Amino acid sequence: MENLQNQNASSIGTFLTSTNAPASNTNPTSTTAVSTMENKCKQLKVLASRKRNVDDKKKSQIWDHFTKLDGDPTTPRAECNYCGKDYACRTIINGTSNMWSHLKVCKKFPFVVDKKQKNLVLEPNKVGGELGDQSVGTLKAIGYDYDECRKALVKMVIIDELPFNFMEGKGFRLFSKTLQPRFDIPSRFTVMRDCLKLYVEEKERLKRALKGQRLCLTTDT
């Protein structure tokens, strides 16, 4: 009986020793190395995501017309694809406004519009003849004039008795931008001041025309 108990005790002790053996053989250096590699992988993923965000920010429409030059990364510059002129393009300090401004006046940019250039327009006028009224056109060179457009807008409001907020409607703005994209539609307060200004001008013009003359007005009540 004692021999059987001794054999069981010795077998249990051997089992416990074999079970604890792998834990004692675990290398702490290898565990540290694995955790270090995991941290580096996480850092690389973060850097890669940040780089993608920077690249996405770079994909502005202006970069279709400019190319970033290789040079000092602390003072980056971009070159125009048409004339070769370069500008500072640091995101925080410079932005892209200077490049957009250059694109509007770049002489080699194929889509730049010269504001002084005039367009030939056929102006129709009717002439009476044996066959009745005949439409005869006259070619005229007309250029874009912002002040004349504002005067025409004021006359339209007065003649058609339109409210001042008419030009703030979406439909009129869409029509105006399609007809002349360069015309900045004024607000209703600006149109109101322009109407008053036109009234004063026409009043003085009428006074000069009637100066030294007598005028008789008759009205029905």
Side-chain angles (χ1 to χ4, degrees):
M1 192 68 179
E2 291 180 0
N3 293 332
L4 183 59
Q5 292 178 354
N6 292 333
Q7 289 178 0
N8 291 335
S10 61
S11 61
I12 292 172
T14 304
F15 174 75
L16 293 175
T17 304
S18 61
T19 304
N20 296 329
S24 61
N25 293 332
T26 303
N27 191 354
T29 306
S30 61
T31 304
T32 305
V34 171
S35 61
T36 304
M37 289 296 295
E38 290 179 353
N39 292 332
K40 288 184 178 180
C41 291
K42 291 180 180 179
Q43 292 176 0
L44 291 174
K45 289 181 180 179
V46 172
L47 292 175
S49 63
R50 289 180 181 176
K51 187 176 184 301
R52 283 196 299 269
N53 293 334
V54 172
D55 293 339
D56 293 339
K57 290 180 181 179
K58 182 183 174 182
K59 291 178 183 177
S60 172
Q61 292 183 356
I62 194 62
W63 295 109
D64 295 336
H65 313 284
F66 279 82
T67 303
K68 198 169 183 180
L69 300 175
D70 296 331
D72 189 358
T74 59
T75 57
R77 300 188 71 83
E79 182 183 50
C80 177
N81 295 340
Y82 306 101
C83 66
K85 194 171 183 179
D86 60 287
Y87 290 88
C89 61
R90 193 170 181 180
T91 306
I92 300 176
I93 299 176
N94 308 111
T96 58
S97 58
N98 53 351
M99 292 185 282
W100 282 115
S101 300
H102 166 75
L103 204 61
K104 295 178 181 178
V105 297
C106 181
K107 295 182 179 180
K108 294 186 178 181
F109 182 51
F111 302 104
V112 69
V113 179
D114 187 3
K115 294 183 179 180
K116 296 181 180 180
Q117 184 178 1
K118 295 185 177 182
N119 299 323
L120 288 176
V121 178
L122 183 63
E123 186 177 273
N125 48 16
K126 292 184 178 182
V127 178
E130 296 180 355
L131 300 177
D133 293 341
Q134 297 179 357
S135 296
V136 179
T138 304
L139 281 176
K140 294 181 65 177
I142 298 178
Y144 170 71
D145 192 337
Y146 178 73
D147 294 331
E148 290 296 327
C149 291
R150 280 184 58 174
K151 288 181 181 179
L153 178 62
V154 169
K155 291 180 180 179
M156 181 188 71
V157 172
I158 295 174
I159 294 172
D160 296 338
E161 298 180 357
L162 298 174
F164 291 126
N165 61 351
F166 172 79
M167 62 287 310
E168 294 181 352
K170 293 182 180 180
F172 177 76
R173 287 183 174 275
L174 176 62
F175 171 75
S176 178
K177 286 299 180 183
T178 305
L179 188 66
Q180 179 52 264
R182 288 182 289 173
F183 179 64
D184 294 330
I185 303 174
S187 65
R188 62 176 182 267
F189 301 105
T190 304
V191 174
M192 182 176 61
R193 288 193 295 268
D194 289 346
C195 288
L196 181 60
K197 180 180 178 182
L198 182 61
Y199 164 75
V200 174
E201 291 176 356
E202 292 296 327
K203 180 181 177 181
E204 294 297 327
R205 181 180 175 184
L206 184 62
K207 287 173 65 176
R208 289 193 301 268
L210 298 178
K211 187 177 181 180
Q213 301 183 15
R214 292 187 177 184
L215 181 65
C216 180
L217 299 176
T218 304
T219 60
D220 294 332
T221 58

